[in-house]
Amino acid sequence: MTSPRIDTSRPHPARMYDYFLGGKDNYEVDQAAAEQFIKAAPEVRAAVRANRSFMQRAVRHVVEEGGIRQILDIGTGLPTEPNVHQIARAVAPGTRIAYVDNDPIVGAHSRTLLDDDENTSVVLGDLRDPRAVLDHPDVRKVIDLDRPVALMLVAVLHFVTEAEDPDAILATLLDALPTGSYLILSHATVDLFEEGGRTDAVKVYNSATASMNPRKHDRVLEFFRDWTLLEPGLVLVPDWRPTEPVDPALPPIGFYGGVARKDG
């Protein structure tokens, strides 16, 4: 079988995110775009670190308090420790995880780390085709859709345009999950900035493989549909159940985050 081609002609959001986090799994085209973004939005490195911290707290919560033992992580990005499986299995060693991303380099690096792990799958797939993700044999190998699942959409939905119908994507994914499942979601916003603020940063993604589409609080809230949001609701990611006081010197963090449960 031919390996999927890794496109290095345009920046990819996963590789730019890796660069923001200080990773090495990126190319010159990603680095140049990321540096352009940093120039327009210098708080981005603090923001992506805060977003990852939110993810870690949320995963720990759904496994420890929610009893979740299987996780579907769509838009996983390049491996950065601690990874989702490391966080989950520190609480419940048998937790099963399917990682899904549309960048072949993500899959290559993840498979290298997890090659002998029968409780983990790494899948090349795209959030824009949710039915194909749910039906993928390597997803179904580790995820039983008759049992509660934690669906993770962390810093990925803002790469879906309104024309690509994010509501329909969420409907397909959430309707497929049984009662007791959880949704962990974070999403970029420019609500914290003056009108037109960070426009230059957002435009950087126009040359990437996916555009950035930051959304307002009310719009992000709609993505949770009728699921029950856990306290404190949809908030800026540093404010979601922090384990230590939020640093008042932290720059503006343009990510909303929330966790919701399917109750019926």
Side-chain angles (χ1 to χ4, degrees):
M1 184 171 123
T2 303
S3 298
R5 187 176 69 87
I6 296 174
D7 183 2
T8 60
S9 65
R10 292 191 294 164
H12 190 284
R15 301 193 303 257
M16 289 176 65
Y17 196 90
D18 177 70
Y19 183 82
F20 293 142
L21 286 170
K24 306 296 183 186
D25 297 319
N26 45 72
Y27 297 95
E28 286 187 14
V29 67
D30 308 305
Q31 296 161 16
E35 283 294 339
Q36 189 179 350
F37 192 99
I38 291 167
K39 185 176 179 181
E43 75 284 350
V44 62
R45 282 198 156 120
V48 296
R49 286 195 296 268
N51 184 64
R52 275 200 66 81
S53 294
F54 157 76
M55 178 274 289
Q56 293 166 20
R57 298 193 302 276
V59 169
R60 196 172 296 113
H61 176 82
V62 300
V63 176
E64 191 167 38
E65 304 296 329
I68 288 295
R69 297 296 181 265
Q70 46 181 5
I71 299 172
L72 175 57
D73 182 1
I74 304 179
T76 181
L78 283 150
T80 304
E81 292 194 346
N83 296 298
V84 170
H85 66 278
Q86 293 169 324
I87 299 161
R89 290 173 187 166
V91 178
T95 304
R96 303 166 72 86
I97 294 139
Y99 289 115
V100 181
D101 203 280
N102 69 354
D103 185 7
I105 195 173
V106 172
H109 282 259
S110 298
R111 287 188 191 94
T112 298
L113 291 176
L114 300 164
D115 197 36
D116 298 324
D117 188 342
E118 63 180 14
N119 287 329
T120 306
S121 285
V122 179
V123 174
L124 186 66
D126 198 306
L127 175 62
R128 296 170 186 82
D129 190 355
R131 191 71 255 169
V133 170
L134 292 168
D135 293 340
H136 196 288
D138 287 338
V139 169
R140 300 305 291 269
K141 183 173 71 175
V142 296
I143 302 293
D144 178 357
L145 293 178
D146 291 326
R147 295 171 48 231
V149 178
L151 170 64
M152 297 179 58
L153 298 174
V154 175
V156 64
L157 201 58
H158 48 245
F159 295 115
V160 176
T161 67
E162 289 296 316
E164 291 167 327
D165 203 350
D167 297 289
I169 291 170
L170 263 297
T172 299
L173 292 170
L174 298 186
D175 288 350
L177 304 183
T179 298
S181 294
Y182 285 82
L183 171 61
I184 300 172
L185 184 150
S186 68
H187 195 294
T189 186
V190 291
D191 281 357
L192 302 173
F193 307 101
E194 294 180 7
E195 189 71 28
R198 299 304 182 263
T199 300
D200 289 345
V202 171
K203 285 180 178 177
V204 171
Y205 281 89
N206 290 347
S207 64
T209 58
S211 64
M212 176 174 271
N213 307 274
R215 294 181 171 99
K216 293 184 175 296
H217 185 275
D218 287 351
R219 181 67 181 108
V220 178
L221 198 58
E222 292 174 355
F223 295 144
F224 291 90
R225 303 179 77 220
D226 59 351
W227 287 33
T228 302
L229 269 166
L230 307 187
E231 291 295 335
L234 180 65
V235 295
L236 296 176
V237 289
D239 298 326
W240 196 89
R241 303 194 180 196
T243 53
E244 52 190 47
V246 177
D247 184 354
L250 201 66
I253 301 299
F255 279 100
Y256 288 124
V259 178
R261 183 181 60 247
K262 187 173 188 175
D263 287 333

